[in-house]
Amino acid sequence: MAQINDVGGAIDAAVRLEEARLIEVRRDIHAHPELAFQETRTAGVVAGELARLGVPFRSGVGRTGVVGTIEGGRPGPTIVIRGDMDALPIGERTGLAFASRNAGLMHACGHDVHTATLLGVAAILKSLQPELSGRVRLLFQPAEEVLGGAAAMIEDGALDGVDLALGYHNHPEIPVGKFGFVRGANYAACDRFRLVVHGVSGHAAYPHAAVDPIVAAASLVGSLQTLVSRETGPLEACVVTVGAIHAGTVHNIIPDSCELLGTIRSLTLTVRLRAEAALRRICAGLEATYRTPCECDWIPGVPPTLNAEEVLDGSVAAIRRQLGEVFVPAESSMGAEDFALIAARVPSFVLRIGSGAPGRTDYLHNSDYQPDEGCIALGASALARAAVDLLAA
Ligand code: NI
């Protein structure tokens, strides 16, 4: 136990030493947000910090990603810790001194915080290098918001030889200083669809001489909700949202076609497959009812992000050893994460890091989102301790 106490103290000391620098780096990244696969400046900042810390790294992994490696002084497995770096196409309204200088772009999901947190993990684990078992691979991932960066990094070999992985996200509904975890599905599968209902255009006053795709599409929107209410068990989770409908030009013309764009979210493979089959069946049936053939493009996204029990249990126990009882109840989210692709390949755990500032209610993807920066040092301590203990187990 003496050794574990030493590790805890060393982590505390390393974090105290780095915290001001991590906040400075976070603010610099926040002021210069970059969209998916354009994170070249951010990757440059990461590379500079890793060089300062003496952590070997490789740039250009998954196009704009960076991979740092810390080789422990003792034999053991290889763990990946992944943080994402991209921003969103949202105009910032925080009025902060370090607000975005790139018009129309903002770190509204806190990936600036994630990048700084992973640099904190790098600093801590570098200081523990001789006592560390195995090796730590730090993935600074691009393009999470378009669900493309994880796949790109995996394609470039980022998971080769990896035994387990940790992911994390800041959660403003959890107060800073607290953490959350979910058994099973942490985030949902996210798939998209594009439907085109084909009719025959004509004069609005003579609908019988045309085939109206808008009436058929309106009925289709309602029918799609039966995927949730009639085809998914009441205790299972599924979301169907039609987010865009495009048809027509003016009030007195029935158009030729109507396009619908939407997303389906689910927490299990069974529900995911059933939803796809039902969507295709309902679309295929539209012609018999309304004389409107319906094209159905199912665009696969990511699977559910599944936590592996043993990695979750080991991480939660390690974080409690480091920070005490810091966990609050949490439940599965219908949001999606491309960390799911990592979790589908190696046993993984996603830690929810409380980032809610006292008195604030703004949420992720909001133009006024302001995470509490205290979450950076705390998140880095938690992740570092989890990695140390998992590698030594
Ligand atoms: Ni995010």
Side-chain angles (χ1 to χ4, degrees):
M1 289 314 282
Q3 186 198 334
I4 286 170
N5 289 335
D6 291 342
V7 168
I11 289 176
D12 283 343
V15 159
R16 267 198 303 277
L17 206 64
E18 281 294 318
E19 186 171 12
R21 176 69 185 163
L22 295 173
I23 288 174
E24 195 182 311
V25 169
R26 181 258 160 166
R27 291 181 179 189
D28 175 56
I29 293 172
H30 188 88
H32 302 92
E34 296 170 303
L35 290 179
F37 290 125
Q38 297 170 24
E39 309 90 337
T40 48
R41 185 188 183 280
T42 309
V45 171
V46 166
E49 289 301 301
L50 291 176
R52 177 179 69 83
L53 294 167
V55 173
F57 62 91
R58 214 150 51 90
S59 298
V61 182
R63 291 161 69 179
T64 42
V66 182
V67 175
T69 306
I70 299 172
E71 194 74 38
R74 300 171 182 171
T78 300
I79 190 169
V80 147
I81 310 177
R82 175 278 212 170
D84 42 17
M85 304 192 290
D86 56 325
L88 286 161
I90 298 175
E92 179 160 353
R93 292 193 300 116
T94 62
L96 293 165
F98 55 91
S100 171
R101 293 182 200 167
N102 298 345
L105 305 186
M106 177 188 175
H107 269 293
C109 200
H111 296 188
D112 51 341
V113 165
H114 296 172
T115 305
T117 301
L118 197 54
L119 288 169
V121 173
I124 295 168
L125 295 181
K126 179 68 187 171
S127 76
L128 294 174
Q129 192 166 17
E131 299 95 68
L132 194 67
S133 303
R135 65 202 55 74
V136 180
R137 200 176 287 170
L138 306 160
L139 303 193
F140 294 86
Q141 187 204 295
E144 191 284 323
E145 295 292 356
V146 298
L147 302 179
M153 292 196 90
I154 292 169
E155 209 162 291
D156 278 358
L159 289 188
D160 294 357
V162 169
D163 299 291
L164 68 167
L166 294 175
Y168 57 97
H169 207 288
N170 74 106
H171 276 256
E173 81 281 8
I174 302 176
V176 69
K178 300 292 182 187
F179 295 79
F181 65 86
V182 176
R183 292 197 180 274
N186 188 47
Y187 298 119
C190 168
D191 300 298
R192 291 185 293 143
F193 58 80
R194 174 178 176 269
L195 314 177
V196 183
V197 179
H198 293 281
V200 177
S201 59
H203 197 295
Y206 308 102
H208 55 291
V211 176
D212 189 343
I214 290 184
V215 168
S219 161
L220 180 57
V221 171
S223 299
L224 291 180
Q225 290 308 316
T226 65
L227 263 66
V228 180
S229 67
R230 303 292 87 181
E231 306 217 21
T232 305
L235 300 180
E236 296 176 305
C238 184
V239 174
V240 179
T241 294
V242 176
I245 298 185
H246 303 122
T249 50
V250 289
H251 69 281
N252 63 351
I253 299 174
I254 291 169
D256 270 319
S257 65
C258 179
E259 181 192 56
L260 300 89
L261 306 175
T263 181
I264 296 185
R265 309 296 175 101
S266 53
L267 293 178
T268 65
L269 183 62
T270 313
V271 173
R272 189 185 190 199
L273 292 173
R274 196 195 296 141
E276 179 187 355
L279 174 77
R280 291 186 188 281
R281 195 190 68 242
I282 289 171
C283 289
L286 204 65
E287 183 172 10
T289 312
Y290 296 102
R291 298 175 290 155
T292 48
C294 179
E295 273 176 67
C296 175
D297 288 333
W298 173 269
I299 305 154
V302 296
T305 305
L306 301 175
N307 283 327
E309 283 289 300
E310 69 277 16
V311 187
L312 181 153
D313 286 331
S315 300
V316 167
I319 293 166
R320 284 186 172 132
R321 279 194 284 273
Q322 183 68 29
L323 298 171
E325 184 44 273
V326 288
F327 290 100
V328 296
E331 54 190 19
S332 298
S333 155
M334 297 310 278
E337 246 284 355
D338 74 355
F339 184 80
L341 298 173
I342 295 173
R345 284 165 177 77
V346 293
S348 298
F349 168 58
V350 177
L351 177 67
R352 296 185 179 192
I353 301 174
S355 58
R360 294 199 64 87
T361 55
D362 42 277
Y363 199 67
L364 303 173
H365 293 213
N366 180 291
S367 55
D368 194 28
Y369 180 48
Q370 295 176 47
D372 190 306
E373 290 173 322
C375 72
I376 297 171
L378 285 162
S381 298
L383 291 163
R385 184 57 185 259
V388 168
D389 288 11
L390 288 166
L391 288 171

